[in-house]
Amino acid sequence: MNNHRIESLKGLRTLIAAPPPMMSKRLQQTIDEHCLKIIERSTACALGYLDPALDIQYFNLSEAGVLRAEGRDIHLTWPSDRCVPALLEQATAHACSLLFIMPGIGFALRANGHCSVRRDTAGTRLEFRVDALFLHCSRAKVRAGFWEPRPPLAAPGVGAEGTGELCDAAQAFIAASPYLLMLTSNGTGATEISPRGDPDGFVRVRDRRTLLIPERPGNKVACSLSNILSADAVTLSFLIPGSRIALSVVGRAQLTADPERLRLLAINGKLPVVATVLLVERYRFVSCSELVEAGLWRKETHISEGDMPSFAKMLSEHMNGKGLLGKATTLVVDAVVRHDLKNLY
């Protein structure tokens, strides 16, 4: 496999072409009207921290969630029944990433920055300071059939964990999961949460210590893959739609273009050009009941697509404003999005 290991950004870009220059405009440093609308309509939020000892957590925003979303600040109510990690009790801010999820809407808002916990007479809150905001398209959720709950899967209780080798229950969970969140960081410590989705069991358990994760066609920015080249620590959170339990897997990652490994990940005869190889260090079954309580898998809570601006419109206005250039960009982006959703692989 080492002969096919990807060890540099140059090597990665020989397989995944660099995105168009205008994609750099997708990043926002402050909360605009589109970001605010997504935050206001989201009923769930995932949080990932730089520290590999911490698993990706989930907040139910449908009850008590967003206290403030303005400028570069996002404040969330800290759940009263959840302990604050010792790391966040410290005075300094810590690298953190958020993913805001709207029920029934495929695209999402990703936010990278730093967070800290504050306590006062009003309660405990997570204070997040934005470094970058950007929209994430619907492809992962569409590939995964994310909105369709799966039959219940027998799994250990919350807190069951192990190191090194995956237990049988962890392997079975991965084999049933169509969707995961991947937390990575770059060389300077900034974090990133990126979704991955495909038919159930798309991540292959090569052996009890090794996972293979395909990289499907996307926007070519390849943030997570670039991060892995700089810092190989990765945290995964496997989800099964409708389940109250998630599986967290932490390990060290590398990128490969090994044809033998890629063939194991083919769908409809199409191989990914790159895969992530994760060498497992630990796993833990964690609660994600907040996602169920937030109504992600109840049809009656789903937002109608007509009640939200389109992904193409929001992304285009982020990049080029609301004038003629923004409107022209919307037409182009909309055509690309429609093509991509019809040609997922």
Side-chain angles (χ1 to χ4, degrees):
M1 184 188 72
N2 288 337
N3 291 338
H4 299 284
R5 181 173 176 177
I6 302 165
E7 300 185 273
S8 67
L9 184 58
K10 181 179 179 180
L12 178 62
R13 287 306 180 193
T14 64
L15 299 168
I16 300 176
M22 75 171 184
M23 286 301 292
S24 62
K25 295 182 179 180
R26 81 194 193 287
L27 299 176
Q28 302 291 306
Q29 291 186 318
T30 57
I31 300 167
D32 67 7
E33 62 178 292
H34 291 317
C35 293
L36 181 60
K37 190 171 186 67
I38 294 174
I39 292 170
E40 290 176 341
R41 300 303 298 271
S42 293
T43 59
C45 180
L47 300 90
Y49 309 101
L50 179 62
D51 190 335
L54 299 178
D55 302 301
I56 292 174
Q57 295 181 304
Y58 298 96
F59 278 23
N60 175 8
L61 304 182
S62 66
E63 296 179 350
V66 181
L67 298 171
R68 180 182 181 185
E70 182 180 12
R72 295 180 59 195
D73 295 322
I74 302 174
H75 295 177
L76 305 178
T77 301
W78 190 270
S80 59
D81 60 349
R82 182 184 301 172
C83 295
V84 175
L87 178 73
L88 299 186
E89 295 281 11
Q90 302 171 17
T92 56
H94 298 275
C96 174
S97 291
L98 308 179
L99 177 74
F100 288 91
I101 307 170
M102 298 175 286
I105 301 294
F107 60 86
L109 179 67
R110 291 161 62 174
N112 300 330
H114 291 77
C115 70
S116 57
V117 168
R118 296 294 177 88
R119 289 185 173 90
D120 56 29
T121 55
T124 304
R125 63 186 180 274
L126 181 85
E127 296 188 349
F128 180 85
R129 184 73 168 173
V130 170
D131 291 330
L133 295 154
F134 53 102
L135 297 179
H136 187 88
C137 68
S138 302
R139 279 185 291 249
K141 287 193 178 75
V142 173
R143 290 179 180 128
F146 183 79
W147 303 116
E148 298 301 323
R150 303 323 196 247
L153 178 72
V158 171
E161 60 186 335
T163 57
E165 296 187 351
L166 294 166
C167 68
D168 291 343
Q171 293 183 68
F173 198 97
I174 293 169
S177 172
Y179 192 83
L180 65 81
L181 299 183
M182 176 184 288
L183 180 73
T184 59
S185 62
N186 63 16
T188 63
T191 56
E192 188 92 36
I193 284 183
S194 179
R196 297 289 189 275
D198 260 334
D200 302 9
F202 73 103
V203 173
R204 294 296 297 268
V205 180
R206 182 66 169 169
D207 56 53
R208 288 182 178 272
R209 293 178 177 270
T210 312
L211 300 180
L212 301 179
I213 308 163
E215 184 68 19
R216 304 299 182 193
N219 60 17
K220 300 183 179 180
V221 176
C223 295
S224 298
L225 303 185
S226 300
N227 283 351
I228 288 170
L229 293 173
S230 300
D232 63 358
V234 171
T235 298
L236 304 178
S237 182
F238 288 92
L239 298 177
I240 297 176
S243 175
R244 292 178 172 272
I245 293 180
L247 175 66
S248 179
V249 179
V250 175
R252 299 286 170 178
Q254 56 186 251
L255 307 181
T256 184
D258 179 13
E260 178 186 348
R261 307 241 170 161
L262 298 181
R263 275 193 288 272
L264 298 173
L265 303 170
I267 289 183
N268 299 331
K270 295 183 179 181
L271 280 64
V273 296
V274 177
T276 299
V277 181
L278 188 80
L279 306 177
V280 176
E281 294 183 340
R282 73 164 177 85
Y283 67 87
R284 180 182 296 135
F285 286 91
V286 301
S287 173
C288 66
S289 60
E290 295 84 1
L291 300 181
V292 177
E293 292 157 3
L296 293 193
W297 296 295
R298 294 201 311 271
K299 296 293 186 183
E300 62 272 20
T301 68
H302 285 188
I303 301 169
S304 169
E305 289 189 2
D307 290 339
M308 289 291 297
S310 70
F311 175 80
K313 177 179 173 64
M314 287 194 286
L315 182 59
S316 299
E317 292 185 357
H318 279 318
M319 294 191 293
N320 289 317
K322 295 184 177 182
L324 290 177
L325 182 57
K327 292 177 180 177
T329 305
T330 299
L331 296 176
V332 174
V333 173
D334 184 63
V336 171
V337 169
R338 290 178 184 275
H339 174 272
D340 288 349
L341 290 177
K342 290 181 179 179
N343 299 273
L344 292 170
Y345 298 99

